[in-house]
Amino acid sequence: MVEEPMTAITNEVLRRLSGVSGTRAGTISEALVRHLHAFILEVRPSTVEWEQAIRFLTEVGARCTPERQEFILLSDTLGVSTLVDAMNYTPGEEGTESTVLGPFYLSDPPVVANGAVIDGGCLGTPLLVEGTLTDVEGHPLSGVQVDTWQADGDGFYDVQHDGGVRYLRARLESDANGNFRFWSIVPSPYPIPDDGPVGAMLREQGRHPYRPAHVHFRFAHPNIATLVTHIFLAGDPYLDSDAVFGVKDSLIEELDSCSPEEAPEGHQPGRTFARLRRTFVLIPAGYELA
Ligand code: BEZ
Ligand code: FE
């Protein structure tokens, strides 16, 4: 039987990969070629459209700097980051769910003590975050490294401003009862950086760039599977249309409104403040891959 010319092209590329067939590199390369060729056969791009596609990817790469990762934004806005996370962190019925890391995580945030104020002087409603870490049987987990980060009242992370000043991000440690606590401000919804090629893609797709208000967390300890997650605020208008597909119902929390006298010892915001209380259930190291 004579092969269709287009099938012949795909088969010839696959034939050249036969030397690595059965290896991880071979599996990835073969699947890439099969799916990419099927995509091209379905979409049938004109030569001009294919040039545009190459230009788009070139612009995504050119937009990347140590402070800005346009490829992460592309992966996030196409739902790929969430898909990869869903396959790599499986907390079962009991564990707290994970969500995307995003591009604003820093591996060397300021180290602070429990109860610290990390608002960097930003304007906004004071927010007291009180977390408890337990294992799946409800035992408190002490000595866990807790990283947190969030946007300021204008929707920007510290790293998006020049100057290298770090605020609204910190590293602390859970205490003997598995508790941690810090003061920040109530976060607002914000647009992901949309002044580059990924923003242009969203507009072309008729989509907005907003993420619902959230606080990021990353919990790490040698005995637990590292959990990267957020807490989203109930009632946010973007919960159903997060630009990066990160929302999970189990991660949405109501804030309590508290009077100044309810502030625990250590810091007095001197005004009405909001409180976020949440228990995070962490799974043992090695159990994240079901
Ligand atoms: C974030 O929540 O920080 C974020 C996640 C994905 C893309 C952009 C920002
Ligand atoms: Fe964020």
Side-chain angles (χ1 to χ4, degrees), residues 11 25 27 53 65-66 94 96-97 99 106 116 120 151 158 166 180 184 196 255 277 279 282 284:
N11 286 343
T27 304
T65 66
E94 299 96 354
T96 296
E97 291 192 284
T99 189
L106 293 183
D158 53 1
R166 300 285 168 251
F180 67 89
S184 66
L255 299 184
R277 277 193 166 137
T279 295
L282 307 180

Side-chain angles (χ1 to χ4, degrees), residues 25-49:
T27 304
I28 293 169
S29 303
E30 284 164 9
L32 176 66
V33 168
R34 275 190 284 104
H35 288 275
L36 190 56
H37 285 220
F39 169 80
I40 294 296
L41 289 172
E42 180 183 329
V43 174
R44 305 188 82 83
S46 67
T47 309
V48 170
E49 284 175 327

Side-chain angles (χ1 to χ4, degrees), residues 3-208:
E3 277 180 315
E4 289 284 333
M6 282 179 278
T7 312
I9 296 169
T10 305
N11 286 343
E12 176 57 13
V13 181
L14 291 174
R15 195 183 64 75
R16 303 260 186 111
L17 297 173
S18 59
V20 286
S21 200
T23 66
R24 184 71 177 143
T27 304
I28 293 169
S29 303
E30 284 164 9
L32 176 66
V33 168
R34 275 190 284 104
H35 288 275
L36 190 56
H37 285 220
F39 169 80
I40 294 296
L41 289 172
E42 180 183 329
V43 174
R44 305 188 82 83
S46 67
T47 309
V48 170
E49 284 175 327
W50 189 241
E51 282 168 6
Q52 278 173 350
I54 303 274
R55 204 174 312 127
F56 172 75
L57 289 175
T58 305
E59 283 167 16
V60 171
R63 205 60 207 248
C64 293
T65 66
E67 287 78 38
R68 171 149 176 171
Q69 233 301 349
E70 196 78 2
F71 270 112
I72 295 185
L73 288 183
L74 183 60
S75 163
D76 292 344
T77 51
L78 291 177
V80 178
S81 303
T82 292
L83 202 52
V84 172
D85 180 49
M87 284 185 296
N88 283 282
Y89 192 86
T90 51
E93 294 282 291
E94 299 96 354
T96 296
E97 291 192 284
S98 58
T99 189
V100 290
L101 180 69
F104 300 124
Y105 174 67
L106 293 183
S107 58
D108 57 350
V111 175
V112 302
N114 267 303
V117 181
I118 65 163
D119 66 11
C122 292
L123 297 179
T125 304
L127 173 66
L128 173 61
V129 177
E130 292 182 317
T132 299
L133 304 181
T134 74
D135 65 16
V136 291
E137 275 137 18
H139 304 121
L141 291 171
S142 63
V144 175
Q145 185 186 79
V146 178
D147 286 354
T148 184
W149 65 107
Q150 66 171 84
D152 64 22
D154 295 327
F156 292 105
Y157 284 78
D158 53 1
V159 290
Q160 293 177 283
H161 294 293
D162 292 336
V165 183
R166 300 285 168 251
Y167 56 88
L168 290 173
R169 79 169 65 236
R171 172 168 293 164
L172 53 162
E173 200 173 274
S174 60
D175 67 17
N177 299 314
N179 296 326
F180 67 89
R181 190 165 84 194
F182 60 89
W183 286 92
S184 66
I185 56 170
V186 174
S188 320
Y190 65 85
I192 64 166
D194 67 341
D195 55 348
V198 170
M201 178 191 79
L202 291 179
R203 284 185 287 282
E204 198 74 27
Q205 293 174 341
R207 294 166 59 191
H208 71 71

Side-chain angles (χ1 to χ4, degrees), residues 157 190 211 214 216:
Y157 284 78
Y190 65 85
R211 297 216 65 206
H214 58 272
H216 292 258

